[in-house]
Amino acid sequence: AKVKQQHKPQNGMMARFVTAAARCLSCNEPLAKAGVGQPGAGVLCGTCLADKDNILDVAHSDVCETQLALQACTSRCGNCAGISEAWFLERCKNATCPTMYHRSKTAADLEKFKAKLDSLDF
């Protein structure tokens, strides 16, 4: 399982007070070492590990909903540009277009949700 990368504190005054710890992908609580050896123990806390099937279902539905939203944005961009090829949409430079902003944000969210789903794949 992939573990979310945590910021490593550098040498300095705050490094004495800040510690990097792995966090649960569901509730964002710091992970304890308990449950080592169980599927999902490296990415979920003990409380969430008991409900891992529901968490996996929610993560899968997040990916599906975001994919549909991205398709809708891409369709709107294609209608605006007058062309349906997706490669053309990557060349759009209209910085004031709210659809272009929403499409790029949705694409970034999709990558985030896919990474979460991959790390929850026990």
Side-chain angles (χ1 to χ4, degrees), residues 8-79:
K8 305 248 191 256
Q10 300 184 4
N11 294 338
M13 188 60 95
M14 289 301 294
R16 292 184 287 168
F17 303 103
V18 177
T19 58
R23 295 196 166 269
C24 176
L25 287 178
S26 180
C27 67
N28 206 27
E29 288 294 318
L31 291 176
K33 299 296 181 191
V36 174
Q38 294 180 352
V43 293
L44 296 175
C45 67
T47 306
C48 295
L49 193 58
D51 196 28
K52 66 184 175 196
D53 293 332
N54 186 37
I55 292 169
L56 189 61
D57 288 342
V58 169
H60 188 266
S61 68
D62 286 344
V63 168
C64 292
E65 289 173 8
T66 308
Q67 284 175 334
L68 290 174
L70 184 60
Q71 287 175 352
C73 288
T74 303
S75 176
R76 271 184 265 142
C77 281
N79 290 339

Side-chain angles (χ1 to χ4, degrees), residues 82-94:
I83 194 164
S84 62
E85 285 90 18
W87 62 268
F88 179 80
L89 300 176
E90 298 302 320
R91 295 182 180 181
C92 181
K93 302 293 186 216
N94 186 355

